[in-house]
Each structure stands twice: as structure tokens, then as C-alpha cells.
Amino acid sequence: MSFFIPKRAIFEPRALDYPMGKELYEKLKGMEVPITFTGSHNRVSGIPGKTPREAFREAKRTLVVGVRKGTDFAGCKPSAHYQLPLNTSCPSMCEYCYLATTLGKKPYLRVYVNLDDIFNQAENYIAQRAPEITWFEGAATSDPIPTEHLTGILYKTIEFFGRQELGRFRFVTKHDKVDSLLLCRHNGHTRFRFSLNAAAVIEKYEHITPPMADRVAAAGKVAHAGYPLGFIIAPVFYFADWRRQYEELIMALDAQLPAAARKDLTFELISHRFTKRAKNNILDLFPETTLPMEEEDRKYKYGQFGYGKYVYRPEVMAELKEFMKNKLFSVFPHAQIEYFV
Ligand code: SF4
């Protein structure tokens, strides 16, 4: 997969007061990306699209460059204490994107250029919880890798946390452009996670993302660079060939990960589920989808505020769990499976 180049960029004028904003402006101009301005990074107009599908696709190719106002960070329980607000959205189009219901009809990409303000606030939060460790999640509203070659935001963030005695950082990506991060002075304070799936699942449902083998190769590089490593396998599907497909994924990881990385490895597994709202969204944007979303095949699980979800039936869940846990522990006996829901 090639590097992401936006089709258009929209700047808040104030972003040019910051060195990163200026640099980004010059870089995009040099790439001949059309640039316009907006009063606020929250109210962006000028993204074309006559139908919801068109607007969605155009938004995914639009980069908004802004200044983050306000200081508070959102919570991020249970995986971290706070979300670290660095960027939003991503150019890929996974049919089951976990951000699909939160980013609205035009999920444009956004990056913030006032990193020092964001780091200062992170330091305040760290100080408030001292002497406990405070964790920050960098992918709660985005996949941060595709814009990294333009901004260097992750590089600076990883080095910032490398200097924090009591601050830790984690993020997750479905992308493979990790080379610029291999020489960061991370000091073991960033857990670099990859979101993976069986090769056939990625090919079918995760549009404009690198294939499984490329992500696993990227994870190998990150492991050699000494980062603590983690994997999210999600959503785990139950289909005709699932055992062989997921076994191939685990064997691909086995072939790439050096011995040192296996001592501190985390896995998070999420079985496929959907809500009525997510299903309608997916059918709007991907009318030809072959995602298995037949309510009658699932168990309905009541949720908060009436937002119930359709999950696999207990006997299917038990089969998925048993197979995946056995396989993972047979290959990575020291790994930690943080959850399998
Ligand atoms: Fe959503 Fe992640 Fe896919 Fe991007 S890569 S579309 S953030 S699931």
C-alpha cells in the first residue's frame, strides 16, 4: 500500500501559528494538495458528495488541520485512563469500523498541531495520579499511522512518553508504515498494538488497508525495535474455514516475532457483533456487503440505554474461545489474553 496523500486539506488559520502547522502547510503545498481554510475544525464545509456514500468517500480523503482547544481529555476505561487527542478518523474503509457510529456522516481526518499544549495537559494528569502510572490511549478516535508520514505526531508522542517516569502510551493500527517509528527513544513506555484478522476477512471487509502478511511483517519490525507489543484480533468471525484461517494468522505471527518480544505480549479478542444502528449504517455505506448480520442467527444481548447488540450464540462463542485460546497459548505460552468478548 502506498502512503496516504489527501485529495484536499482544510486548515484553521491559527494552525499556521504553530511550527508543525506551517511545516505541514508547506509539505502539502509541495505535494500539490489543494488547501482551503475554515473558521473551526469542528465545522468543516466544502467536502463534496451528493449521496451519503460519496460524502463518506470524499471525507475519507480530506485532511483537516486544527488547533485543539480546551484542556480536558475524555476518559478511556477500561483500557487506559485517558484518550490522548492527537487525530481523528483514517483513510481506510473497513466495513465494520469501530468508529463508524461516532464520527458522523463525514468522517474527515483531523490532526492537531498544538502538541505541546496536549503534552502539558498529559503531564498534569500524570502528576495528579502520581505515584501511580497513568495510561493514555492514542487510537480512541483514529488510526494514527496513515497521517504519520505527514505530521510526525506519533514519533513526538512516543518520545514524550519515553521521558515520562509515570506516563505510558498505547495505540493500535491496522496499517504497516512503521519504519519512521523504529528509531524512536520509546524506553519501553509505548505499547505498539496491531489490529489483525484472518487474511480472507481482511481482504473481504477491510478496504484500503494492508493485507495480513504486511501487518504481521510490520509487527516483526516493531518487535525488533524493542517495543512492548500487542495484538487485537477483531472481529473474530465464525465461517466455514475459520479454524484454518485463524491458525494461519497465528502461525504467521510465530514466524515473525523474535524470542524477546514473546515475553511481554498482549492479545485482545473481540467476537463479531452488531447493533441495529451499526447494521443500518453499514448497509447505507456498503449496500453490497456480505457481512453476516442476520439477527435470527444471533443471541440478543441487552445493553445500556436500550442499545442491545447481536452476538454469537453461546455454543459458537465457546467454540471460538476454546480454539483461539488453545492455539495462542500453544504458540505464545507467556502471552496475556487481556479479554475475549
Ligand atoms: Fe476504522 Fe481502523 Fe478501519 Fe480505519 S483502519 S476504517 S479506523 S477500523
Side-chain angles (χ1 to χ4, degrees), residues 29-292:
K29 226 168 77 179
M31 293 169 158
E32 296 180 8
V33 174
I35 299 175
T36 54
F37 288 89
T38 178
S40 158
H41 64 74
N42 287 320
R43 282 189 309 276
V44 172
S45 55
I47 301 174
K50 290 190 199 81
T51 63
R53 280 183 86 183
E54 250 176 63
F56 173 81
R57 274 155 209 274
E58 291 297 332
K60 285 275 186 174
R61 301 176 68 189
T62 303
L63 178 65
V64 173
V65 180
V67 176
R68 186 171 193 270
K69 296 176 206 81
T71 49
D72 289 354
F73 295 175
C76 199
K77 293 262 151 66
S79 64
H81 297 99
Y82 297 101
Q83 300 182 11
L84 193 71
L86 301 172
N87 34 31
T88 314
S89 192
C90 109
S92 302
M93 296 186 200
C94 305
E95 295 185 18
Y96 39 62
C97 177
Y98 66 118
L99 303 176
T101 45
T102 52
L103 293 183
K105 300 268 177 237
K106 290 190 176 179
Y108 55 82
L109 284 76
R110 175 172 49 200
V111 296
Y112 293 123
V113 295
N114 54 330
L115 272 192
D116 287 339
D117 297 339
I118 294 167
F119 292 163
N120 284 342
Q121 182 57 13
E123 276 175 333
N124 290 338
Y125 283 126
I126 293 169
Q128 281 169 21
R129 286 183 36 83
E132 303 291 325
I133 297 275
T134 304
W135 278 91
F136 295 83
E137 167 64 57
T141 56
S142 73
D143 187 315
I145 289 282
T147 47
E148 178 62 14
H149 74 107
L150 299 169
T151 64
I153 283 178
L154 271 182
Y155 187 99
K156 293 184 190 96
T157 304
I158 292 168
E159 292 222 327
F160 165 78
F161 280 101
R163 296 189 295 274
Q164 301 305 310
E165 203 185 325
L166 298 174
R168 298 289 182 274
F169 182 51
R170 71 206 297 269
F171 68 93
V172 62
T173 183
K174 280 185 164 65
H175 289 265
D176 64 340
K177 297 277 183 283
V178 298
D179 289 5
S180 67
L181 302 174
L182 300 180
L183 295 178
C184 274
R185 284 160 290 188
H186 57 75
N187 216 6
H189 291 181
T190 289
R191 186 168 296 275
F192 206 131
R193 288 138 72 228
F194 287 87
S195 173
L196 296 171
N197 216 312
V201 173
I202 290 176
E203 205 173 303
K204 228 179 189 168
Y205 303 122
E206 299 187 358
H207 313 294
I208 326 182
T209 63
M212 182 268 270
D214 293 6
R215 284 184 223 177
V216 171
K221 290 188 208 171
V222 165
H224 282 284
Y227 282 94
L229 206 56
F231 297 100
I232 298 187
I233 305 181
V236 179
F237 284 101
Y238 188 76
F239 55 101
D241 202 19
W242 70 274
R243 286 170 191 269
R244 190 179 62 85
Q245 287 275 337
Y246 284 110
E247 181 166 5
E248 276 178 16
L249 167 66
I250 295 166
M251 297 326 286
L253 284 173
D254 188 33
Q256 289 287 345
L257 299 189
R262 295 166 187 246
K263 292 186 199 127
D264 179 14
L265 207 55
T266 60
F267 284 93
E268 298 157 76
L269 289 93
I270 307 170
S271 62
H272 180 245
R273 68 261 329 276
F274 59 92
T275 59
K276 270 214 180 314
R277 187 165 162 230
K279 178 176 174 176
N280 289 338
N281 247 355
I282 292 168
L283 290 172
D284 270 354
L285 296 172
F286 305 98
E288 318 288 318
T289 187
T290 58
L291 274 173

